[in-house]
Amino acid sequence: MKRLAFVLFFLLSSLAPIQAEGDAPIATPPVDKSQYNLFHPVPDNLLRSFSADRPSQSTGPYTVDAGHFYFETSVISSLYDEPDSQATVRQFNVLPFNFRMGLTSNIELDIAYANYLNVRTHDRATGQTDERDGLGDLILQGKINLVGNDGGKVAFGLIPFLKVPTNTHDLGNDSVEGGLGLPLQFALPAGFSLGLEPIFQFVRNGTDDGYVPAFTNALIVGHTLFTDKLSTYAEFYDVVTDDSGSSHAAFIDTGFVYQILPNAEVDIGCNFGITDAAPDYQPFAGFSFRF
């Protein structure tokens, strides 16, 4: 309860006027960009406003302009968890990234890679520590914007994705998994924005002999803070796995984003686990840029 009270206090203090990552791009009047593609880039003067898919766990519905790219990464992110009364888990993830490519005016291709991982599990009863380090998994995903890419009060898209098991040293479940995300975003009065993203996927079950469905629901609220270059967000992120002994991992997340250049921003924040199946907390710091 003390941890939950701290999280709620932190969130309330961050919900002053803010701007969520992925706020609706501004284009007045809308411009027809259908003639542009990966090899015929959108001119710089027609680019949408900067809209990275980090640092929140959910993803926005806006795509990268055709012929342009985003590189989004955590310089370092960490994880701390006490899954039971005897064990402590600490994880460090160095430079996990998402490389986004604009293929057409409303379609992008993403390559997300977990990169280097270090995981330490300490058994307090025996005093022994198991430490593993290596590489994580690769995720291939597309994003298709169906409405609102270049302005408007509503934006919606589709995000099909596939996890490819590229991990080493047992840092993953060595299984192909995949699903579909449905990101939806609304422009609200007074400069606020509201994002929703249900995700449907199939994951490997706990006994490693088949697949079970998993369902994710995300809700994110944001707004600018003091200046249009500084923003923050509050997010509820919830994952339920339908298995024999279903797991329910829920988070309350928050962070700050500062746009240092028209095509670059930095961020810092933390994801707080509020159920037993979720890690206790995951602090991170990173950056994104467009080229």
Side-chain angles (χ1 to χ4, degrees):
M1 290 301 295
K2 290 183 178 179
R3 186 176 72 189
L4 181 57
F6 168 76
V7 171
L8 291 175
F9 173 78
F10 189 64
L11 285 172
L12 288 172
S13 66
S14 71
L15 276 177
I18 49 177
Q19 175 186 356
E21 53 88 14
D23 270 358
I26 298 173
T28 306
V31 178
D32 180 12
K33 299 179 180 179
S34 60
Q35 70 269 33
Y36 301 110
N37 55 53
L38 180 63
F39 305 104
H40 181 207
V42 173
D44 289 350
N45 66 311
L46 296 181
L47 288 177
R48 303 176 186 118
S49 59
F50 194 88
S51 179
D53 276 343
R54 61 167 296 115
S56 63
Q57 295 195 71
S58 58
T59 303
Y62 307 107
T63 62
V64 180
D65 277 292
H68 293 264
F69 309 89
Y70 275 65
F71 184 80
E72 306 173 6
T73 183
S74 286
V75 176
I76 188 169
S77 63
S78 62
L79 176 153
Y80 177 85
D81 190 26
E82 292 185 9
D84 54 47
S85 60
Q86 293 186 336
T88 300
V89 179
R90 297 178 186 272
Q91 174 181 296
F92 295 93
N93 195 184
V94 180
L95 292 177
F97 66 83
N98 184 16
F99 181 64
R100 305 169 57 196
M101 297 172 278
L103 303 183
T104 72
S105 62
N106 68 330
I107 300 176
E108 70 174 60
L109 174 66
D110 303 342
I111 301 173
Y113 187 46
N115 216 340
Y116 173 79
L117 290 163
N118 176 274
V119 181
R120 301 177 185 178
T121 303
H122 178 70
D123 189 323
R124 293 197 293 270
T126 64
Q128 295 182 337
T129 299
D130 174 66
E131 182 172 358
R132 289 171 292 149
D133 65 310
L135 301 176
D137 290 322
L138 178 74
I139 295 177
L140 300 176
Q141 71 179 28
K143 186 189 293 190
I144 305 167
N145 178 274
L146 300 179
V147 64
N149 225 10
D150 287 289
K153 294 185 179 298
V154 179
F156 176 67
L158 306 174
I159 304 179
F161 62 91
L162 185 72
K163 188 201 78 175
V164 181
T166 58
N167 70 89
T168 60
H169 302 149
D170 296 321
L171 291 171
N173 62 10
D174 296 322
S175 299
V176 174
E177 298 172 336
L180 177 68
L182 304 172
L184 176 65
Q185 188 153 315
F186 301 91
L188 301 179
F192 283 87
S193 64
L194 171 67
L196 305 170
E197 187 183 15
I199 302 172
F200 307 91
Q201 59 182 314
F202 283 90
V203 299
R204 198 70 174 172
N205 62 16
T207 55
D208 198 25
D209 60 2
Y211 287 82
V212 294
F215 307 94
T216 299
N217 288 289
L219 183 152
I220 181 170
V221 178
H223 198 283
T224 54
L225 179 66
F226 305 126
T227 169
D228 58 3
K229 293 184 178 181
L230 178 63
S231 60
T232 188
Y233 67 91
E235 176 181 50
F236 175 74
Y237 194 83
D238 178 76
V239 183
V240 177
T241 303
D242 186 9
D243 205 345
S244 55
S246 298
S247 66
H248 178 204
F251 302 82
I252 293 179
D253 312 328
T254 190
F256 297 88
V257 181
Y258 186 73
Q259 189 170 359
I260 55 176
L261 295 169
N263 292 313
E265 64 186 24
V266 295
D267 59 71
I268 188 171
C270 190
N271 305 330
F272 298 93
I274 56 174
T275 61
D276 291 340
D280 292 344
Y281 53 86
Q282 298 172 280
F284 58 82
F287 63 90
S288 306
F289 63 88
R290 173 174 58 187
F291 58 100

